[in-house]
Amino acid sequence: MTGTLVLLRHGESEWNKANLFTGWVDVPLSEKGRAEAARGGRLLAEHGLLPDVSHTSLLRRAIMTAELALHEADRQWIPVKRSWRLNERHYGALQGKDKAATLAEYGEEQFMTWRRSYGTPPPPIDPASEFSQDGDARYAFLPPEVRPATECLADVVVRMLPYWYDAIVPDLRAGQTVLVAAHGNSLRALVKHLDGMGEDEVVGLNIPTGVPLRYDLDDDLRPTTPGGQYLDPEAAAAAIEAVKNQGKK
Ligand code: DG2
Protein backbone atom coordinates (compact mmCIF):
# COMPACT_ATOMS: atom_id res chain seq x y z
CA MET A 1 0.00 0.00 0.00
CA THR A 2 1.29 3.45 -0.92
CA GLY A 3 2.00 5.61 2.13
CA THR A 4 0.83 9.14 2.79
CA LEU A 5 2.69 12.23 1.69
CA VAL A 6 2.65 15.39 3.78
CA LEU A 7 4.07 18.58 2.28
CA LEU A 8 5.01 21.44 4.57
CA ARG A 9 6.39 24.79 3.45
CA HIS A 10 8.60 26.21 6.17
CA GLY A 11 7.14 28.80 8.53
CA GLU A 12 7.72 32.49 7.86
CA SER A 13 11.45 33.24 7.56
CA GLU A 14 13.14 36.48 8.61
CA TRP A 15 13.36 37.39 4.92
CA ASN A 16 9.72 36.48 4.18
CA LYS A 17 8.91 38.90 6.99
CA ALA A 18 11.23 41.58 5.58
CA ASN A 19 9.79 40.95 2.05
CA LEU A 20 13.15 40.05 0.49
CA PHE A 21 13.82 37.53 -2.27
CA THR A 22 15.54 34.62 -0.54
CA GLY A 23 16.22 31.62 -2.80
CA TRP A 24 19.36 29.80 -1.61
CA VAL A 25 20.28 32.38 1.05
CA ASP A 26 20.18 30.49 4.35
CA VAL A 27 18.03 32.69 6.59
CA PRO A 28 16.42 31.59 9.88
CA LEU A 29 12.75 31.39 10.77
CA SER A 30 11.11 34.44 12.32
CA GLU A 31 9.40 34.05 15.67
CA LYS A 32 6.08 33.82 13.84
CA GLY A 33 7.61 31.18 11.57
CA ARG A 34 8.69 29.09 14.54
CA ALA A 35 5.16 29.28 15.93
CA GLU A 36 3.73 28.31 12.51
CA ALA A 37 6.05 25.30 12.35
CA ALA A 38 5.01 24.17 15.83
CA ARG A 39 1.36 24.64 14.93
CA GLY A 40 1.94 22.55 11.80
CA GLY A 41 3.22 19.79 14.08
CA ARG A 42 0.18 20.05 16.34
CA LEU A 43 -2.07 19.73 13.28
CA LEU A 44 -0.22 16.56 12.29
CA ALA A 45 -0.74 15.10 15.76
CA GLU A 46 -4.42 16.13 15.86
CA HIS A 47 -5.04 14.44 12.52
CA GLY A 48 -3.15 11.32 13.56
CA LEU A 49 -0.77 11.95 10.67
CA LEU A 50 2.46 10.89 12.33
CA PRO A 51 5.47 10.95 10.00
CA ASP A 52 7.74 7.89 9.83
CA VAL A 53 10.45 9.70 7.91
CA SER A 54 11.19 13.29 6.97
CA HIS A 55 12.90 14.91 3.97
CA THR A 56 14.20 18.48 3.97
CA SER A 57 16.35 20.81 1.92
CA LEU A 58 19.81 21.94 3.04
CA LEU A 59 18.39 25.26 4.24
CA ARG A 60 17.79 25.97 7.91
CA ARG A 61 14.29 27.40 7.50
CA ALA A 62 13.09 24.00 6.22
CA ILE A 63 15.31 22.01 8.60
CA MET A 64 14.06 23.96 11.64
CA THR A 65 10.44 23.75 10.50
CA ALA A 66 10.65 19.95 10.30
CA GLU A 67 12.34 19.80 13.70
CA LEU A 68 9.83 22.07 15.42
CA ALA A 69 6.86 20.32 13.82
CA LEU A 70 8.20 16.85 14.64
CA HIS A 71 8.99 17.90 18.21
CA GLU A 72 5.40 19.07 18.62
CA ALA A 73 4.08 15.78 17.18
CA ASP A 74 6.46 13.80 19.43
CA ARG A 75 8.22 12.37 16.35
CA GLN A 76 11.59 14.10 16.64
CA TRP A 77 13.27 10.68 16.62
CA ILE A 78 12.35 9.65 13.07
CA PRO A 79 15.02 9.45 10.32
CA VAL A 80 15.67 12.71 8.47
CA LYS A 81 17.08 12.91 4.96
CA ARG A 82 18.27 16.15 3.40
CA SER A 83 18.99 17.12 -0.17
CA TRP A 84 19.94 20.24 -2.13
CA ARG A 85 17.35 19.00 -4.64
CA LEU A 86 14.61 20.16 -2.25
CA ASN A 87 16.20 23.62 -1.87
CA GLU A 88 14.22 26.69 -2.75
CA ARG A 89 14.50 27.87 -6.34
CA HIS A 90 17.74 29.80 -6.77
CA TYR A 91 16.51 33.37 -7.23
CA GLY A 92 19.62 34.55 -9.12
CA ALA A 93 20.41 38.26 -9.01
CA LEU A 94 17.16 38.92 -7.12
CA GLN A 95 18.48 37.21 -3.96
CA GLY A 96 18.62 39.80 -1.17
CA LYS A 97 16.48 42.32 -3.08
CA ASP A 98 13.35 43.91 -1.65
CA LYS A 99 10.22 42.57 -3.38
CA ALA A 100 8.32 45.89 -3.22
CA ALA A 101 11.31 47.85 -4.58
CA THR A 102 11.76 45.28 -7.37
CA LEU A 103 8.07 45.56 -8.29
CA ALA A 104 8.32 49.38 -8.33
CA GLU A 105 11.51 49.33 -10.42
CA TYR A 106 10.58 46.72 -13.05
CA GLY A 107 6.76 46.81 -13.10
CA GLU A 108 4.15 44.14 -12.39
CA GLU A 109 4.63 42.10 -15.58
CA GLN A 110 8.39 41.61 -15.23
CA PHE A 111 8.08 41.10 -11.46
CA MET A 112 5.46 38.37 -11.86
CA THR A 113 7.36 36.78 -14.75
CA TRP A 114 10.36 36.39 -12.47
CA ARG A 115 8.28 35.15 -9.55
CA ARG A 116 5.82 32.83 -11.22
CA SER A 117 6.52 32.13 -14.90
CA TYR A 118 7.47 28.53 -15.61
CA GLY A 119 10.34 29.09 -17.97
CA THR A 120 11.91 32.54 -17.40
CA PRO A 121 14.66 32.70 -14.75
CA PRO A 122 15.82 35.96 -13.16
CA PRO A 123 19.28 37.17 -14.30
CA PRO A 124 22.11 35.04 -12.82
CA ILE A 125 23.72 36.12 -9.58
CA ASP A 126 27.21 37.63 -9.67
CA PRO A 127 29.49 35.05 -7.98
CA ALA A 128 31.08 37.94 -6.04
CA SER A 129 27.69 38.97 -4.58
CA GLU A 130 27.34 38.67 -0.81
CA PHE A 131 24.19 36.64 -1.56
CA SER A 132 25.92 34.10 -3.84
CA GLN A 133 26.49 30.53 -2.56
CA ASP A 134 29.81 30.23 -4.38
CA GLY A 135 32.24 28.90 -1.79
CA ASP A 136 29.47 27.58 0.48
CA ALA A 137 30.86 24.28 1.86
CA ARG A 138 27.52 22.50 1.74
CA TYR A 139 27.47 22.65 -2.07
CA ALA A 140 31.17 21.86 -2.59
CA PHE A 141 30.27 18.34 -3.80
CA LEU A 142 28.22 19.72 -6.69
CA PRO A 143 30.11 20.05 -9.98
CA PRO A 144 30.19 23.72 -11.07
CA GLU A 145 27.97 23.04 -14.10
CA VAL A 146 25.23 21.66 -11.83
CA ARG A 147 25.39 24.45 -9.21
CA PRO A 148 22.81 27.03 -10.26
CA ALA A 149 23.38 30.80 -10.53
CA THR A 150 19.64 31.26 -11.16
CA GLU A 151 16.66 28.98 -11.78
CA CYS A 152 13.17 29.09 -13.23
CA LEU A 153 10.51 26.66 -12.02
CA ALA A 154 11.20 24.35 -14.98
CA ASP A 155 14.81 24.03 -13.76
CA VAL A 156 13.57 23.16 -10.26
CA VAL A 157 11.32 20.41 -11.65
CA VAL A 158 14.33 18.91 -13.46
CA ARG A 159 16.63 18.87 -10.40
CA MET A 160 13.90 17.95 -7.88
CA LEU A 161 12.36 14.95 -9.71
CA PRO A 162 15.36 12.61 -9.35
CA TYR A 163 15.06 13.03 -5.57
CA TRP A 164 11.33 12.39 -5.72
CA TYR A 165 11.82 9.11 -7.57
CA ASP A 166 15.03 7.95 -5.87
CA ALA A 167 14.42 8.96 -2.25
CA ILE A 168 10.81 9.90 -1.51
CA VAL A 169 8.91 7.38 -3.65
CA PRO A 170 10.72 4.36 -2.08
CA ASP A 171 9.59 5.57 1.38
CA LEU A 172 6.02 5.91 0.11
CA ARG A 173 6.18 2.48 -1.54
CA ALA A 174 7.23 1.11 1.86
CA GLY A 175 3.88 2.34 3.20
CA GLN A 176 5.35 5.15 5.28
CA THR A 177 3.92 8.53 6.20
CA VAL A 178 6.46 10.88 4.63
CA LEU A 179 6.96 14.50 5.65
CA VAL A 180 8.60 16.76 3.05
CA ALA A 181 9.52 20.12 4.60
CA ALA A 182 10.64 22.46 1.85
CA HIS A 183 9.95 25.80 0.14
CA GLY A 184 7.41 27.83 -1.78
CA ASN A 185 8.83 27.05 -5.20
CA SER A 186 10.37 23.60 -4.66
CA LEU A 187 6.93 22.51 -3.41
CA ARG A 188 5.23 24.21 -6.38
CA ALA A 189 7.45 22.05 -8.57
CA LEU A 190 6.43 18.90 -6.70
CA VAL A 191 2.71 19.75 -6.66
CA LYS A 192 2.85 20.51 -10.40
CA HIS A 193 4.26 17.04 -10.94
CA LEU A 194 1.84 15.26 -8.58
CA ASP A 195 -1.27 16.96 -9.94
CA GLY A 196 -0.11 16.86 -13.56
CA MET A 197 -0.57 20.63 -13.80
CA GLY A 198 0.16 22.45 -17.05
CA GLU A 199 2.79 25.15 -17.30
CA ASP A 200 0.11 27.88 -17.45
CA GLU A 201 -1.84 26.43 -14.55
CA VAL A 202 1.12 26.35 -12.14
CA VAL A 203 1.58 30.13 -12.56
CA GLY A 204 -1.45 30.60 -10.26
CA LEU A 205 -0.28 28.11 -7.61
CA ASN A 206 0.92 29.52 -4.27
CA ILE A 207 1.95 27.44 -1.26
CA PRO A 208 1.21 28.85 2.22
CA THR A 209 3.79 28.82 5.02
CA GLY A 210 3.40 26.33 7.86
CA VAL A 211 0.16 24.51 6.91
CA PRO A 212 0.57 20.76 6.24
CA LEU A 213 -0.82 19.57 2.89
CA ARG A 214 -1.82 15.91 2.80
CA TYR A 215 -1.65 13.82 -0.36
CA ASP A 216 -3.03 10.28 -0.52
CA LEU A 217 -1.65 8.57 -3.60
CA ASP A 218 -2.88 5.58 -5.57
CA ASP A 219 -0.60 2.77 -6.77
CA ASP A 220 0.41 4.89 -9.76
CA LEU A 221 1.35 7.73 -7.36
CA ARG A 222 -1.58 9.84 -8.55
CA PRO A 223 -3.39 11.91 -5.89
CA THR A 224 -6.74 10.40 -4.93
CA THR A 225 -7.85 13.97 -4.11
CA PRO A 226 -6.42 16.36 -6.72
CA GLY A 227 -4.66 19.28 -5.05
CA GLY A 228 -4.36 17.38 -1.79
CA GLN A 229 -5.98 18.47 1.48
CA TYR A 230 -4.71 21.23 3.75
CA LEU A 231 -5.06 20.22 7.39
CA ASP A 232 -6.33 23.76 8.14
CA PRO A 233 -8.01 24.98 4.91
CA GLU A 234 -8.94 28.40 6.35
CA ALA A 235 -5.43 29.21 7.52
CA ALA A 236 -4.10 27.95 4.18
CA ALA A 237 -6.42 30.23 2.19
CA ALA A 238 -5.39 33.29 4.22
CA ALA A 239 -1.69 32.44 3.93
CA ILE A 240 -2.01 31.84 0.16
CA GLU A 241 -3.44 35.38 -0.24
CA ALA A 242 -0.50 36.76 1.76
CA VAL A 243 2.02 35.00 -0.53
CA LYS A 244 0.18 36.25 -3.65
CA ASN A 245 0.32 39.83 -2.46
CA GLN A 246 4.00 39.88 -1.53
CA GLY A 247 5.66 42.92 -3.00
CA LYS A 248 2.46 44.91 -2.84
CA LYS A 249 2.95 46.09 0.72
C1 DG2 B 1 10.60 32.55 -1.21
C2 DG2 B 1 9.54 32.44 -2.27
O1 DG2 B 1 10.99 31.26 -0.90
O2 DG2 B 1 9.28 33.66 -2.80
O3 DG2 B 1 12.80 32.65 -2.13
O4 DG2 B 1 11.84 34.56 -1.61
O5 DG2 B 1 9.57 29.57 0.37
O6 DG2 B 1 11.99 29.66 0.72
O7 DG2 B 1 10.54 31.54 1.54
P1 DG2 B 1 10.77 30.50 0.51
C3 DG2 B 1 11.84 33.31 -1.69
P2 DG2 B 1 8.19 33.90 -3.94
O8 DG2 B 1 8.58 33.06 -5.13
O9 DG2 B 1 6.83 33.56 -3.38
O10 DG2 B 1 8.33 35.39 -4.24
Side-chain angles (χ1 to χ4, degrees):
M1 197 192 75
T2 310
T4 305
L5 178 65
V6 183
L7 306 183
L8 181 60
R9 181 181 175 189
H10 60 80
E12 181 195 72
S13 74
E14 285 291 355
W15 279 23
N16 294 145
K17 183 176 156 191
N19 214 23
L20 303 176
F21 285 104
T22 316
W24 280 34
V25 182
D26 193 13
V27 299
L29 293 177
S30 68
E31 207 177 305
K32 179 179 163 195
R34 297 173 69 86
E36 285 176 337
R39 183 161 181 275
R42 281 197 295 281
L43 283 167
L44 293 178
E46 278 163 30
H47 285 77
L49 208 53
L50 298 176
D52 298 304
V53 59
S54 139
H55 296 261
T56 75
S57 70
L58 301 188
L59 295 166
R60 72 189 69 209
R61 55 195 190 274
I63 292 169
M64 280 306 295
T65 295
E67 272 184 26
L68 290 164
L70 291 170
H71 172 75
E72 208 64 29
D74 200 16
R75 303 292 280 190
Q76 224 171 1
W77 48 270
I78 64 172
V80 175
K81 303 173 192 176
R82 309 191 200 291
S83 173
W84 71 279
R85 293 182 185 277
L86 293 176
N87 269 18
E88 179 53 305
R89 167 161 79 115
H90 195 296
Y91 245 121
L94 296 182
Q95 290 191 168
K97 292 213 183 317
D98 183 89
K99 291 187 185 179
T102 306
L103 171 62
E105 187 176 344
Y106 293 96
E108 172 103 25
E109 198 181 329
Q110 179 65 79
F111 177 73
M112 286 314 289
T113 299
W114 282 334
R115 278 188 80 207
R116 289 292 174 266
S117 75
Y118 189 63
T120 308
I125 196 163
D126 179 343
S129 161
E130 61 179 309
F131 303 120
S132 160
Q133 283 66 51
D134 257 43
D136 188 327
R138 85 193 81 179
Y139 306 115
F141 71 97
L142 278 178
E145 67 275 16
V146 177
R147 217 177 301 157
T150 187
E151 290 180 307
C152 60
L153 195 64
D155 297 324
V156 180
V157 170
V158 167
R159 59 106 152 139
M160 182 276 302
L161 275 182
Y163 191 76
W164 165 251
Y165 285 113
D166 293 348
I168 301 174
V169 167
D171 286 344
L172 289 166
R173 292 282 190 218
Q176 298 192 303
T177 298
V178 181
L179 176 68
V180 177
H183 303 264
N185 293 296
S186 54
L187 290 175
R188 287 177 70 230
L190 183 49
V191 166
K192 177 188 184 292
H193 174 73
L194 289 171
D195 283 315
M197 293 173 89
E199 294 178 14
D200 293 339
E201 208 184 336
V202 75
V203 168
L205 174 70
N206 287 290
I207 309 285
T209 52
V211 187
L213 173 59
R214 173 189 184 141
Y215 272 96
D216 295 290
L217 304 167
D218 66 18
D219 289 346
D220 294 323
L221 300 169
R222 290 201 195 92
T224 54
T225 305
Q229 293 160 287
Y230 281 107
L231 297 195
D232 183 343
E234 257 177 50
I240 284 169
E241 271 316 295
V243 177
K244 262 193 211 165
N245 293 325
Q246 265 183 348
K248 294 184 183 157
K249 17 183 156 156

